[in-house]
Amino acid sequence: MPSPASSGPSALDAGSASEVCPGCGAVLASLPDSAPTHPGASASCARLFEVTVRGLRDEAQADPSTAPLIRLADATYDAQHPVAADPGRLDAALDRLAEGLGTRPAVADAAPRVWRATIADAAADLDVIDLRVLVESWARVVQEDWRA
């Protein structure tokens, strides 16, 4: 999955209606007059994550087996949106990510310079790939990016 951050400089023009997420680097349409609802993320990125996983959260009440996938999605998103003032939050996210994947945690030495996949990539593929598969794939790539 190519990262939206590679969209090129034209997506970053001052007059454009887009913004770059400070966490994952996704270039998304700006949400005017919106404050970020997730630490380390732009408002548009946080909203995209919320909308993308809403179906899983709705499903969780009827199907408790969905809960581990929701925890994996949350951990993956948190791992891509670290907050410098709260390194413990990142460590916890990386631990939860590893637990969800059944692997050893990555060490948060330095954030990846480029993410190979973001929530924007997962959302873009929703119409052709099952959300469960997308979340698991995205989680694996994020963990690998932290290990690189």
Side-chain angles (χ1 to χ4, degrees):
M1 290 184 267
S3 175
S6 63
S7 297
S10 63
L12 306 176
D13 292 342
S16 74
S18 63
E19 65 183 0
V20 178
C21 178
C24 67
V27 178
L28 301 165
S30 296
L31 297 176
D33 301 324
S34 292
T37 58
H38 189 282
S42 67
S44 57
C45 187
R47 179 70 176 137
L48 180 61
F49 176 68
E50 177 186 311
V51 169
T52 302
V53 299
R54 179 183 302 146
L56 290 175
R57 295 189 200 286
D58 292 347
E59 200 177 302
Q61 292 184 9
D63 182 5
S65 70
T66 304
L69 189 62
I70 294 168
R71 285 192 300 270
L72 182 61
D74 288 341
T76 304
Y77 194 76
D78 288 347
Q80 276 195 314
H81 297 85
V83 177
D86 191 358
R89 185 174 181 280
L90 174 59
D91 291 338
L94 292 173
D95 288 345
R96 292 188 338 264
L97 179 59
E99 180 182 326
L101 293 172
T103 62
R104 292 184 16 190
V107 178
D109 288 335
R113 297 178 81 175
V114 175
W115 296 102
R116 292 180 296 147
T118 68
I119 189 60
D121 297 303
D125 290 338
L126 270 175
D127 58 343
V128 293
I129 301 173
D130 181 70
L131 182 56
R132 291 174 185 267
V133 172
L134 289 169
V135 167
E136 290 169 0
S137 173
W138 172 46
R140 278 189 213 82
V141 168
V142 168
Q143 188 180 50
E144 290 169 8
D145 286 348
W146 270 107
R147 287 186 171 159

